[in-house]
């Protein structure tokens, strides 16, 4: 089955899943609006659609945290909230901590109807709720072809062999302990599924950036450069110009990686993610990290590396993850994720509560290197201003950008356009379709447009 089933008709969470938090306004999709409730005096600015929710939320918040005597009460007794007067929770109540209950709407989400089973499926990361560049491991997007497993690390093995006897002198089977005693590195990289933003090819315009761009995540990965292990096994690098990576799950996930990538030292046998072991959903206990390359090559539950003298033409590189070009031929092995960006605030589903100042914020990345510049337009691409790139700006990693904006209350078309250090500039839909046609599913890196309507509601639109 391909990554995308029928078009989405209804992406809303069941109403019961949406939590109203006292300090945030949440719309029906559980999307946090841009403004938090400020002073009570600001409430007259709030749009009528939110007035009811706002009144309850602000009232509850005021009662909890306002250290003034209740009206008509004893002026000597301050109405302090329990958290200022009582004893808090003991340490290690949760041996492994969880987010605040007020953040319960920040979830990775499935798109109902997108896939026929929940095992060969995808969940999207809530980009609109995240700050900085690191994706918390519990919110990392998921893409499984045959469901995920919690594989016993003491039983897991990694085999390294050659496609013929001469390519690898010492074929070896490694335990995880044996891999983990080798020299390790830790590096921040994004992983993006080649199908990210795929529905936009058909101008489906899914409502939020979680669904349009949420098949990307960014982590600090820790592991052993694959080159070190291949050296140990005595690889003939003259003839052995490709490796095949194979996963241990039932999906027969196998992908060809060119040896130059391995020789660069960037390809990792990773066991660590954001300071701890990989999560089961992300390939515990061992996955391949192939910086800059589409997610499908980042084989999870990695059990075998074979060295070969030619590309392997597996199902996931000849039938799936290929691009139908305008001349009717398929482009295969397209692997590097080209330079791309998206504004995450304000973005589809969010609501601006009033005109005035906003921090436009978003993410930019390139599979070829570092982000050099991000320009932002609020008028559909007529005028551009350069955004601030926040540090760190790392190679093949998400880069956070921010830009000051004063909204005048009129409709605005917000876009971002990233450039990487090779000089490549993220294309418009017209530029992309001129080269790629319109029958692709994968590898859509076009400029995204969000329409801010006069009501403050933000919508996904596509400018041709
Ligand atoms: N073993 C195995 N590896 C796999 C897959 C899989 O189904 N099985 N899916 C691939 C695809 S298509 C993507 S986009 C990434 C997703 O990684 P994640 O689930 O950690 O986000 O894993 C890749 N590696
Ligand atoms: Mo993918």
């Amino acid at each position: 089955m391909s990554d995308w089933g029928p078009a989405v008709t209804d992406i809303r969470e069941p109403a019961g899943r949406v939590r109203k938090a006292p300090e945030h306004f949440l719309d029906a999709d559980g999307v946090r609006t841009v403004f938090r409730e400020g002073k009570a005096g600001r409430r007259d600015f709030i749009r009528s659609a939110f007035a009811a929710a706002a009144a309850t939320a602000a009232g509850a918040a005021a009662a909890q945290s306002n250290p003034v005597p209740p009206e008509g009460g004893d002026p000597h007794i301050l109405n302090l909230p329990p958290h200022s007067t009582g004893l808090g929770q003991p340490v290690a109540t949760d041996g492994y901590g969880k987010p605040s209950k007020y953040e319960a709407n920040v979830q990775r989400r499935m798109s109902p109807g997108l896939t026929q089973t929940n095992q060969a499926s995808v969940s999207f990361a809530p980009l609109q709720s995240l700050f900085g560049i690191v994706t918390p491991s519990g919110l990392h997007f998921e893409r499984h072809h045959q469901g995920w497993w919690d594989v016993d690390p003491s039983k897991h093995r990694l085999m390294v062999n050659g496609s013929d006897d001469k390519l690898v002198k010492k074929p070896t089977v490694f335990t995880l302990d044996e891999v983990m005693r080798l020299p390790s590195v830790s590096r921040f990289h994004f992983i993006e599924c080649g199908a990210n933003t795929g529905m936009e090819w058909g101008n489906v315009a899914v409502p939020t950036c979680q669904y349009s761009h949420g098949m990307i995540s960014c982590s600090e990965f820790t592991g052993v450069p694959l080159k070190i292990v291949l050296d140990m096994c005595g690889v003939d690098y003259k003839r052995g110009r490709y490796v095949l990576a194979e996963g241990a799950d039932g999906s027969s996930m196998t992908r060809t990686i060119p040896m130059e990538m391995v020789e660069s030292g960037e390809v990792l046998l990773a066991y660590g993610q954001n300071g701890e072991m990989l999560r089961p959903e992300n390939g515990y206990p061992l996955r391949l990290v192939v910086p800059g390359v589409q997610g499908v090559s980042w084989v999870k539950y990695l059990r075998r590396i074979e060295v070969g003298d030619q590309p392997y033409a597996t199902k996931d590189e000849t039938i799936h993850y290929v691009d139908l070009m305008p001349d009717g031929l398929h482009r295969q092995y397209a692997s590097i994720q080209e330079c791309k960006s998206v504004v995450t605030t304000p973005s589809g589903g969010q609501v601006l509560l009033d005109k005035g100042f906003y921090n436009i914020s978003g993410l930019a990345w390139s599979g070829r290197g570092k982000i050099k510049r991000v320009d932002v337009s609020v008028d559909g691409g007529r005028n551009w201003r350069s955004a601030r790139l926040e540090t760190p700006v790392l190679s093949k990693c998400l880069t956070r950008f921010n830009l000051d904006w004063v909204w005048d209350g009129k409709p605005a078309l917000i876009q971002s356009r990233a450039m990487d250090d090779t000089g490549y500039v993220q294309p418009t839909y017209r530029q992309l379709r001129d080269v790629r046609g319109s029958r692709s599913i994968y590898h859509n890196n076009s400029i995204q447009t969000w329409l801010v309507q006069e009501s403050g509601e933000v919508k996904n639109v596509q400018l041709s």
Side-chain angles (χ1 to χ4, degrees):
M1 135 188 270
S2 79
D3 256 30
W4 296 94
V8 188
T9 50
D10 181 14
I11 63 96
R12 287 173 173 250
E13 290 287 305
R17 297 275 306 276
V18 177
R19 307 273 297 251
K20 290 270 184 277
E23 295 191 46
H24 310 144
F25 298 114
L26 309 173
D27 76 6
D29 282 321
V31 175
R32 180 187 300 168
T33 57
V34 173
F35 259 169
R36 294 179 175 214
E37 165 64 321
K39 299 185 194 85
R42 289 191 51 87
R43 248 178 294 157
D44 40 347
F45 288 116
I46 291 164
R47 306 281 172 203
S48 56
F50 289 82
T56 341
Q64 263 203 4
S65 57
N66 202 0
V68 295
E71 219 166 308
D74 181 341
H76 300 293
I77 300 173
L78 290 181
N79 184 21
L80 289 170
H83 61 254
S84 298
T85 56
L87 199 52
Q89 305 294 317
V91 296
T93 305
D94 261 331
Y96 197 109
K98 294 186 198 68
S100 160
K101 66 181 175 193
Y102 301 112
E103 300 298 324
N105 70 305
V106 180
Q107 306 237 334
R108 47 187 176 197
R109 288 163 200 271
M110 287 181 37
S111 187
L114 183 64
T115 53
Q116 285 166 24
T117 71
N118 295 348
Q119 283 83 20
S121 193
V122 54
S123 72
F124 300 82
L127 300 184
Q128 71 283 353
S129 302
L130 303 182
F131 314 117
I133 58 171
V134 170
T135 312
S137 297
L139 294 173
H140 194 290
F141 86 95
E142 303 158 276
R143 172 72 176 105
H144 320 302
H145 290 72
Q146 189 93 337
W148 62 269
W149 295 91
D150 200 355
V151 173
D152 181 345
S154 70
K155 301 209 173 89
H156 190 70
R157 297 289 181 270
L158 173 72
M159 177 162 111
V160 178
N161 68 286
S163 63
D164 67 50
D165 291 349
K166 296 194 189 93
L167 279 168
V168 175
K169 273 200 213 95
K170 281 182 290 171
T172 310
V173 173
F174 294 85
T175 65
L176 198 67
D177 288 338
E178 286 165 347
V179 171
M180 289 181 75
R181 49 191 289 201
L182 298 174
S184 75
V185 296
S186 295
R187 293 185 189 142
F188 289 89
H189 289 299
F190 74 82
I191 166 174
E192 182 182 23
C193 177
N196 198 20
T197 323
M199 276 185 286
E200 306 290 305
W201 276 113
N203 203 354
V204 173
V206 295
T208 67
C209 75
Q210 178 159 14
Y211 294 108
S212 64
H213 288 75
M215 281 204 277
I216 188 164
S217 294
C218 185
S219 304
E220 186 198 44
F221 292 99
T222 296
V224 181
L226 174 57
K227 174 78 166 45
I228 290 181
V229 170
L230 295 192
D231 287 352
M232 287 169 67
C233 298
V235 166
D236 172 357
Y237 290 105
K238 266 223 180 88
R239 273 180 61 235
R241 297 313 299 160
Y242 298 92
V243 303
L244 179 79
E246 179 184 86
D249 55 329
S251 68
S252 309
M253 181 51 67
T254 35
R255 288 283 304 188
T256 304
I257 318 284
M259 192 60 93
E260 302 93 78
M261 283 188 184
V262 179
E263 287 173 315
S264 77
E266 287 193 349
V267 178
L268 306 182
L269 300 169
Y271 43 82
Q273 179 181 346
N274 297 330
E276 59 185 359
M277 288 297 287
L278 292 162
R279 293 291 171 91
E281 302 94 303
N282 305 119
Y284 179 90
L286 196 66
R287 95 173 299 170
L288 203 63
V289 164
V290 196
V293 171
Q294 61 179 330
V296 65
S297 292
W298 297 45
V299 174
K300 305 191 272 191
Y301 321 106
L302 183 73
R303 73 172 176 199
R304 198 166 69 90
I305 294 283
E306 180 177 296
V307 177
D309 57 3
Q310 55 189 352
Y312 283 81
T314 70
K315 71 171 167 46
D316 286 296
E317 45 204 21
T318 52
I319 303 170
H320 307 298
Y321 301 93
V322 295
D323 301 314
L324 185 51
M325 302 296 278
D327 63 3
L329 295 178
H330 276 102
R331 186 174 76 159
Q332 296 178 333
Y333 296 105
S335 64
I336 309 266
Q337 295 298 101
E338 298 292 356
C339 184
K340 184 167 168 181
S341 68
V342 64
V343 170
T344 54
T345 301
S347 63
Q350 294 184 322
V351 181
L352 305 192
L353 296 177
D354 187 23
K355 55 189 174 196
F357 182 87
Y358 289 90
N359 178 48
I360 295 181
S361 188
L363 293 165
W365 61 94
S366 167
R368 297 196 187 271
K370 287 186 189 177
I371 290 297
K372 181 109 185 262
R373 201 172 97 194
V374 178
D375 297 329
V376 170
S377 174
V378 295
D379 58 8
R382 279 192 198 93
N383 297 286
W384 298 90
R385 280 194 293 150
S386 288
R388 299 189 308 274
L389 302 187
E390 306 301 341
T391 53
V393 177
L394 300 171
S395 181
K396 306 172 188 179
C397 181
L398 292 187
T399 295
R400 172 64 63 176
F401 65 86
N402 288 305
L403 184 71
D404 299 348
W405 179 48
V406 178
W407 183 41
D408 59 9
K410 301 206 184 86
L413 289 163
I414 300 193
Q415 302 181 323
S416 64
R417 180 181 67 188
M419 186 203 278
D420 67 17
D421 60 5
T422 71
Y424 176 97
V425 180
Q426 186 182 1
T428 62
Y429 268 103
R430 178 163 301 166
Q431 290 166 332
L432 188 65
R433 289 193 169 117
D434 276 351
V435 179
R436 299 272 308 277
S438 55
R439 287 145 83 201
S440 280
I441 297 169
Y442 304 102
H443 310 120
N444 175 0
N445 69 322
S446 179
I447 290 171
Q448 167 69 35
T449 310
W450 304 117
L451 166 65
V452 179
Q453 303 171 103
E454 262 175 290
S455 64
E457 285 164 68
V458 187
K459 252 178 77 174
N460 183 358
V461 295
Q462 206 174 97
L463 301 188
S464 63

